[in-house]
């Protein structure tokens, strides 16, 4: 049985390419539940990201400054390579927070939660997204940007600025 934690800490993992208002909503709500929330920008070799891992970390750092609704909560951003369950185990983080938009997300995330539980003693906490964000995904945002559309309704301001720079070729990788 797990010993009682003095500080409640959780990790919120994802590729966040780019972070959306839906992701921000989960961070805001999780920051009230935990003393420390780690936004883990995951490196996934199977994906070709729109933003580099460093850019995604900067986007989060620029975004979280206005997200922490509870001053007693600490939000930090880090990069994680490898399995999130191993990261949690190595850093004594007992919880993974996952946002779910629909039943398909829930099935996928439940399967991942079962695997994470097999690998380490980590529990997954699911937060359903707010209805107004249920149709937003990073994939949709990137597609709209690639076709010259406006995504200011779907992403936080720092992300929108960086997307505009990318669109206009001012920040090519």
């Amino acid at each position: 049985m797990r010993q009682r934690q003095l500080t409640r800490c959780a990790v919120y993992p994802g590729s966040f390419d780019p972070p959306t208002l839906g992701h921000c909503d989960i961070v805001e709500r999780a920051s009230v539940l935990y003393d420390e929330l780690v936004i883990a920008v995951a490196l996934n070799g199977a994906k070709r990201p729109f933003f580099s891992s460093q850019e995604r970390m900067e986007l989060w750092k620029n975004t979280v400054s206005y997200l922490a609704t509870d001053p007693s909560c600490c939000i930090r951003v880090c990069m994680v390579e490898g399995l999130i369950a191993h990261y949690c185990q190595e850093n004594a983080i007992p919880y993974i927070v996952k946002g779910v938009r629909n039943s398909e997300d829930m099935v996928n995330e439940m399967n991942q939660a079962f695997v994470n539980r097999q690998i380490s003693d980590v529990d997954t906490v699911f937060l359903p997204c707010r209805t107004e964000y249920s149709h937003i995904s990073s994939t949709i945002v990137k597609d709209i940007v690639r076709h010259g559309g406006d995504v200011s309704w779907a992403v936080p301001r720092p992300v929108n600025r960086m997307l505009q720079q990318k669109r206009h070729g001012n920040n090519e990788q």
Side-chain angles (χ1 to χ4, degrees):
M1 189 154 141
R2 185 180 304 143
Q3 289 184 342
R4 184 168 181 218
Q5 301 289 321
L6 297 177
T7 302
R8 292 179 327 218
C9 183
V11 66
Y12 177 44
S15 56
F16 306 118
D17 187 36
T20 68
L21 291 177
H23 294 131
C24 292
D25 175 58
I26 298 300
V27 168
E28 285 177 20
R29 291 164 51 215
S31 73
V32 175
L33 300 173
Y34 298 97
D35 301 315
E36 181 178 13
L37 182 65
V38 178
I39 299 171
V41 176
L43 299 177
N44 184 341
K47 292 183 178 181
R48 185 166 178 241
F50 193 74
F51 287 110
S52 72
S53 54
Q54 286 295 351
E55 287 172 321
R56 288 179 278 149
M57 285 185 58
E58 279 305 308
L59 288 170
W60 268 120
K61 287 176 183 176
N62 292 334
T63 299
V64 296
S65 60
Y66 77 88
L67 288 179
T69 56
D70 182 351
S72 66
C73 177
C74 171
I75 299 175
R76 63 185 171 93
V77 180
C78 71
M79 195 179 322
V80 175
E81 191 167 5
L83 297 175
I84 295 298
H86 285 163
Y87 175 82
C88 290
Q89 193 170 31
E90 291 164 6
N91 293 280
I93 299 174
Y95 304 104
I96 296 173
V97 172
K98 298 298 283 198
V100 290
R101 292 174 296 169
N102 53 41
S103 60
E104 185 178 323
D105 276 0
M106 190 63 187
V107 168
N108 293 332
E109 295 300 346
M110 283 293 292
N111 288 331
Q112 187 63 55
F114 295 143
V115 171
N116 288 336
R117 189 75 174 144
Q118 285 292 128
I119 293 171
S120 68
D121 191 26
V122 63
D123 286 317
T124 302
V125 176
F126 300 103
L127 291 177
C129 76
R130 296 189 192 281
T131 306
E132 60 265 32
Y133 302 126
S134 64
H135 61 290
I136 300 173
S137 72
S138 295
T139 302
I140 288 171
V141 166
K142 288 183 287 196
D143 193 43
I144 292 169
V145 167
R146 285 185 183 112
H147 291 90
D150 173 36
V151 293
S152 59
W153 53 271
V155 296
R157 281 189 202 117
V159 174
N160 194 44
R161 279 193 298 273
M162 182 78 102
L163 285 166
Q164 296 306 314
Q165 289 174 349
K166 286 247 185 211
R167 178 188 295 165
H168 295 101
N170 295 335
N171 201 10
E172 291 299 320
Q173 294 184 52

